[in-house]
Amino acid sequence: MDSTTATDLWDRLAGSQSGPSVWTVVGTGLVALAMILPPRVWRVTRNAITIAHEGGHGLVALLSGRTLDGIRLHSDTSGLTVSRGRPTGFGMVLTAAAGYPAPSLLGLAGAWALSTGHVTALLWVAAALLAAMLVMIRNAYGALTVVLTGAAFVLVSWLAGPEVRAAFAYGVVWFLLLGGVRPSFELQRKRRFGAAADSDADQLGRLTGVTPVLWLLFFHVVALAALLAGGNLLLRG
């Protein structure tokens, strides 16, 4: 690769671009909402939220000094992240607490990146994170899901024009912010009917002695706060 090509690639990655029109920002938000509210559509699109959820568990497990054994993503949109280390303690608490907030916090980080005009960088970073996650996937469905998702980011960032890249990036960030809200309410409903005895909230309750209801409240607060802050960044940007 000659220096000119390398410079062009760096400029494309690190450079910023002006934000899209307010109609594009609002429109991509409405499209994201349409991918979340209908139950039949959500059963498919929720896979993307599961990727972020399990990726959050895995990343925090590594950062807290645990050994990450693998991640599984299932066709019913459930997932499982397995790590080794002390079965109790601060690292285990952080790992268990990371899943539900992960999509919302990723969306908030993405909203900040878009507000500064770094559309292409956002897409490339997302593709890199998915590639890193792929190494730890331990089932075929999970691998296929991550590969297809990563391929979408790569193709759009490489082949699409600035307007399409921006619309895609804004749609993804809106989806993470809005989609990050729904799972904690779904968990709350399942727990009400006794169908989630081993949920993240219940595991955290056993690890910390704090009632799972408060952990559910924590998940709600993080998701809603990220949606408000991230939505404000997107609309103002």
Side-chain angles (χ1 to χ4, degrees):
M1 180 182 298
D2 59 41
S3 60
T4 302
T5 304
T7 301
D8 290 342
L9 284 174
W10 175 251
D11 289 342
R12 186 171 183 178
L13 174 61
S16 61
Q17 68 182 66
S18 58
S21 69
V22 66
W23 298 110
T24 299
V25 176
V26 173
T28 53
L30 293 176
V31 170
L33 201 59
M35 297 171 67
I36 293 164
L37 292 181
R40 291 185 179 181
V41 177
W42 177 242
R43 280 197 290 269
V44 177
T45 59
R46 196 185 193 280
N47 283 285
I49 297 297
T50 303
I51 290 174
H53 179 113
E54 299 303 331
H57 281 312
L59 178 60
V60 173
L62 291 173
L63 293 176
S64 62
R66 299 179 63 80
T67 300
L68 183 59
D69 283 343
I71 298 172
R72 289 179 174 270
L73 306 172
H74 304 131
S75 58
D76 63 355
T77 73
S78 66
L80 177 66
T81 299
V82 179
S83 62
R84 286 185 288 113
R86 289 183 57 194
T88 59
F90 191 57
M92 187 61 205
V93 171
L94 288 177
T95 300
Y100 279 92
S104 298
L105 295 179
L106 284 172
L108 180 58
W112 173 82
L114 293 180
S115 72
T116 62
H118 291 92
V119 173
T120 303
L122 170 66
L123 299 177
W124 284 28
V125 168
L129 290 173
L130 288 165
M133 185 177 180
L134 181 61
V135 176
M136 300 308 302
I137 297 294
R138 296 293 182 263
N139 66 322
Y141 180 83
L144 178 62
T145 303
V146 173
V147 166
L148 291 177
T149 306
F153 281 95
V154 171
L155 290 174
V156 170
S157 65
W158 191 255
L159 300 177
E163 295 82 5
V164 175
R165 288 201 305 270
F168 180 79
Y170 272 78
V172 168
V173 170
W174 274 123
F175 180 78
L176 288 171
L177 291 170
L178 293 165
V181 174
R182 184 166 178 172
S184 56
F185 284 97
E186 292 176 334
L187 175 59
Q188 182 176 341
R189 185 170 61 252
K190 288 179 181 179
R191 292 191 74 257
R192 186 180 301 127
F193 294 101
D198 201 36
S199 70
D200 291 356
D202 290 276
Q203 291 182 44
L204 286 163
R206 292 191 290 270
L207 286 167
T208 63
V210 176
T211 175
V213 174
L214 289 182
W215 284 108
L216 264 175
L217 178 61
F218 168 73
F219 296 155
H220 289 321
V221 169
V222 172
L224 293 172
L227 174 58
L228 290 174
N232 182 57
L233 285 171
L234 294 176
L235 293 170
R236 293 183 64 182

